[in-house]
Amino acid sequence: ERIYRDSLQLKQRVLGADHPETLRSAKGLAAVLYQQAGYVAAEELYREVMRSQETRLGADHPETLETADALGVVLDRQGRATEAHALLHRAMTGLTHRLGAAHPDTLGAMNNLAVILQGQSRNDEAEQLLRHVIEHNERIYGSDHPLTLIGMSNLVSLLCDVGDAETRCVILEAS
């Protein structure tokens, strides 16, 4: 964390607070804070970055949308599912439009949105997204890649929640 903070301060001083490299460093620090369970600090930093990106790049720029996705995950972790859903839906929709439905960033946003939808008992929507994520991650990375396996794990979790044991067994056998 200290290295990220030092790097961010240096970039703010040399490049300015709104420079793209400064914003990338801020996002890196926010990710570290999130991993350390510093959710409030991560949220504040992601919001700050997103405001700058919206001003400099526009609300529908892929970097802005990726920050919205990350912020949505942080909000969900804090139990703020409604806010998280809105940001994750915005990110997924925007990334789908800008990068395509099979782009890795879009697939990540879809996976994150599916987790929120499952928590809201919107299981059919979550399942549809997860199946899409798995299909494309298998095509891009292969069936043994961690991103493919995360999608499969999330789908199995969903199917367990809805009690679809037969489908769950088929997925487990396939993986």
Side-chain angles (χ1 to χ4, degrees), residues 2 16 28 32 39 47 58 71 79 85 99-101 106 109 112 141 158 166:
R2 185 82 222 133
V32 168
Y39 305 128
R47 285 191 188 280
L71 177 57
H85 178 270
L99 303 176
T106 305
N112 292 338
Y141 303 113
L158 171 70
E166 181 180 326

Side-chain angles (χ1 to χ4, degrees), residues 40-53:
V40 173
E43 175 190 350
E44 291 172 5
L45 205 45
Y46 277 132
R47 285 191 188 280
E48 187 179 310
V49 169
M50 197 165 74
R51 276 191 294 275
S52 292
Q53 289 174 326

Side-chain angles (χ1 to χ4, degrees), residues 121-139:
S121 298
R122 295 169 64 179
N123 297 325
D124 291 340
E125 294 171 80
E127 181 177 350
Q128 181 181 1
L129 287 174
L130 289 170
R131 289 187 185 281
H132 177 90
V133 167
I134 293 165
E135 174 188 338
H136 289 283
N137 278 342
E138 280 182 329
R139 189 175 310 134

Side-chain angles (χ1 to χ4, degrees), residues 7-78:
S7 173
L8 178 57
Q9 289 173 351
L10 178 64
K11 288 180 182 178
Q12 286 172 329
R13 195 171 49 252
V14 173
L15 301 173
D18 290 332
H19 190 277
E21 286 302 317
T22 305
L23 297 175
R24 282 187 199 96
S25 289
K27 280 179 67 173
L29 176 58
V32 168
L33 293 169
Y34 171 79
Q35 291 170 351
Q36 295 176 342
Y39 305 128
V40 173
E43 175 190 350
E44 291 172 5
L45 205 45
Y46 277 132
R47 285 191 188 280
E48 187 179 310
V49 169
M50 197 165 74
R51 276 191 294 275
S52 292
Q53 289 174 326
E54 286 173 339
T55 301
R56 288 184 54 82
L57 304 171
D60 65 340
H61 190 279
E63 287 188 40
T64 308
L65 296 167
E66 290 165 17
T67 303
D69 181 62
L71 177 57
V73 170
V74 171
L75 293 174
D76 180 53
R77 183 59 77 154
Q78 295 179 74

